Amino acid sequence: MARSIHLAHPVRGPVRLGLVILAFVVLIPLVGLAVLSAVFSPGYLFRWAVWQDADVGDYARFPARPVEQADEPFTLEVPNDPAAAAASVRSALEASAPVGTDAEAFLERTGTQAFIVIRDDTVLYEGYFGGFQRDSTATSFSVAKSYVSALIGIAIQEGAIRSVDDPITDYVPELLERDERFADIRIGNLLDMTSGLRYEETGLPWGDDALTYYFDDLRALAVERTEIVEPPGERWHYVNYNPLLLGLVLERTTDTSVSDYLGSRIWSRIGTEFPASWSLDHEGGFEKMESGINARPIDFAKLGTLYLQDGSWDGERIVPEDWVAASVDPSVDGAAPVYPDSFHQPYGTISHQRYWWRIARPDGRYAFTALGNHGQLVFVVPDEDLIVVRNGREYGISSFEWFGVLLTMADELSDTEDADA
């Protein structure tokens, strides 16, 4: 019998193989997403996949809790000659190599949205770039941590929290159910980034950076996912679980939301001109303690003024004076963990305590700053009574380079003032 010839069949094998490969290419990611959704949550996975990296538009994406402004706003003074004051700031900026010969071109180039320079309660320079305006909302990112620090200090002053030496398990005892070593972690360890907790920045959905930023149940994350990998107090390691745990402490000891505590204890008492908000993990939920205070740049400056005045505002004590000193003055004894080598810079030695960055300069002077992702800064030079607020879409230059630029600017402004005297 003659063998039949089926012209369509010789390609059946490759087609079937292609379909199998296509099925694996499509199904494996779908199965992976389904597993991740089950392990974490669909809402979190959506945020991670669709929103991608954190950016300055996130204040509009997350739900938020409002924070009311002051009843009597404090308005900063204007110099006698605003044009000359602004010119002096531009000239002082241009003394730094990264800036070059055109300060405002540099600010534009680095993705700066707002740049404000204040000395002696007088605005020397106030510039906005890239469509940003005075009443535009900027998100703080980790500048929020400096407010968290102030709130912890206030809660201790009020007796809600006993001391920075208290074990975290005095306030979050359920941590002991997973690991008895949590009793060794103190409030101060969480504030100084020496908790010994695991923290991995992988960029993947199971990475700690993504989880602490996008997860939609941060209370559960703080209690259930934290893991001890080394003894507390020994090594500085930036861990965003630390402020989440402190947020639980604040909630439980003050019997109010962290946003309301910020509003009643700080925001409404320091002359803020605009309302603010604090982004939440979900509607009606928990504050994104590691980031997400949303406000106008001019009001972020009030935090610098508060700390420049040792925690007082218009004669009223807001933050304990000794708390401010321990936070921002490198000469005050505190934790002495092992820091990265990069903390030693030509302009000074950087340290980090109670969620403030401090710079001890070679000549004995110092500066301090709140610092957030994409180069959000509230930078203070006490000897010059100088405050700089910088908000940006991106860093443009590294954080430590910004420190150097602003210190050089402060020195140049001081020299100009001396020459004019």
Side-chain angles (χ1 to χ4, degrees):
M1 184 170 63
R3 181 176 298 172
S4 300
I5 299 175
H6 302 284
L7 296 177
H9 285 185
V11 296
R12 180 182 296 169
V15 169
R16 181 177 296 167
L17 179 60
L19 290 173
V20 169
I21 293 172
L22 179 62
F24 271 98
V25 169
V26 173
L27 289 176
I28 288 178
L30 290 176
V31 170
L33 290 173
V35 170
L36 289 171
S37 293
V39 171
F40 300 116
S41 76
Y44 162 70
L45 203 60
F46 171 86
R47 290 174 176 177
W48 173 83
V50 176
W51 293 356
Q52 297 292 305
D53 291 338
D55 65 56
V56 296
D58 284 346
Y59 77 90
R61 298 185 180 104
F62 287 97
R65 189 168 283 127
V67 178
E68 293 301 318
Q69 75 267 41
D71 290 335
E72 297 182 8
F74 174 70
T75 303
L76 292 158
E77 296 180 13
V78 177
N80 293 330
D81 188 343
S88 70
V89 170
R90 289 193 294 269
S91 177
L93 272 172
E94 288 159 6
S96 291
V99 178
T101 58
D102 188 332
E104 290 185 338
F106 164 77
L107 294 173
E108 290 269 14
R109 185 171 67 249
T110 53
T112 300
Q113 295 176 303
F115 192 79
I116 305 172
V117 180
I118 300 163
R119 185 168 60 194
D120 299 326
D121 289 336
T122 299
V123 180
L124 302 183
Y125 182 93
E126 185 173 1
Y128 301 97
F129 305 90
F132 206 81
Q133 299 177 1
R134 193 177 193 273
D135 62 351
S136 296
T137 299
T139 190
S140 61
F141 296 107
S142 288
V143 168
K145 293 182 175 70
S146 298
Y147 289 94
V148 173
S149 173
L151 293 177
I152 293 291
I154 292 168
I156 291 174
Q157 175 179 253
E158 294 179 342
I161 299 171
R162 290 184 299 275
S163 165
V164 292
D165 296 322
D166 288 352
I168 182 61
T169 49
D170 284 2
Y171 305 96
V172 193
E174 57 267 43
L175 291 169
L176 292 170
E177 298 172 8
R178 293 195 296 108
D179 192 331
E180 293 182 355
R181 293 178 298 167
F182 275 107
D184 297 328
I185 300 176
R186 311 289 165 171
I187 296 290
N189 296 136
L190 299 174
L191 286 164
D192 296 340
M193 295 294 185
T194 61
S195 62
L197 295 177
R198 183 208 70 241
Y199 198 79
E200 299 175 359
E201 300 182 30
T202 65
L204 296 170
W206 50 85
D208 297 312
D209 222 28
L211 283 165
T212 54
Y213 191 76
Y214 282 132
F215 201 61
D216 49 10
D217 188 350
L218 292 174
R219 293 186 186 96
L221 191 76
V223 171
E224 298 169 7
R225 190 171 172 82
T226 42
E227 178 185 354
I228 297 171
V229 293
E230 59 187 1
E234 295 184 0
R235 184 173 69 95
W236 182 88
H237 183 48
Y238 202 90
V239 173
N240 278 328
Y241 291 112
N242 295 344
L244 296 183
L245 289 168
L246 291 177
L248 291 177
V249 174
L250 284 169
E251 275 193 331
R252 295 176 181 189
T253 59
T254 64
D255 197 30
T256 189
S257 71
V258 182
S259 297
D260 288 347
Y261 199 57
L262 171 68
S264 64
R265 298 309 193 272
I266 298 177
W267 202 262
S268 64
R269 300 170 69 188
I270 60 172
T272 50
E273 299 178 39
F274 298 93
S277 68
W278 203 326
S279 296
L280 306 175
D281 56 358
H282 63 272
E283 193 66 47
F286 186 49
E287 284 76 5
K288 283 168 47 61
M289 298 297 304
E290 88 298 348
S291 64
I293 293 177
N294 313 302
R296 279 67 173 187
I298 198 66
D299 282 336
F300 283 130
K302 309 295 173 61
L303 177 67
T305 302
L306 177 65
Y307 269 64
L308 185 59
Q309 298 175 160
D310 301 320
S312 291
W313 188 274
D314 197 23
E316 181 185 9
R317 172 61 54 195
I318 306 294
V319 184
E321 185 174 2
D322 59 348
W323 185 270
V324 173
S327 300
V328 303
D329 187 345
S331 69
V332 177
D333 291 338
V338 176
Y339 286 112
D341 291 341
S342 62
F343 278 41
H344 297 284
Q345 293 287 325
Y347 51 75
T349 299
I350 298 166
S351 58
H352 181 266
Q353 191 158 305
R354 299 188 182 181
Y355 297 161
W356 285 89
W357 297 81
R358 302 100 55 85
I359 304 126
R361 306 188 70 182
D363 60 6
R365 295 179 296 161
Y366 73 96
F368 60 90
T369 187
L371 172 65
N373 193 14
H374 300 307
Q376 321 308 317
L377 292 163
V378 181
F379 194 92
V380 181
V381 185
D383 286 332
E384 304 301 333
D385 200 18
L386 189 74
I387 299 166
V388 182
V389 173
R390 188 267 179 181
N391 294 107
R393 298 186 306 276
E394 56 186 301
Y395 285 99
I397 57 176
S398 73
S399 298
F400 288 1
E401 285 180 295
W402 273 113
F403 294 0
V405 166
L406 298 182
L407 287 171
T408 299
M409 183 194 75
D411 290 345
E412 290 292 320
L413 286 172
S414 177
D415 291 344
T416 301
E417 185 178 62
D418 292 343
D420 292 341

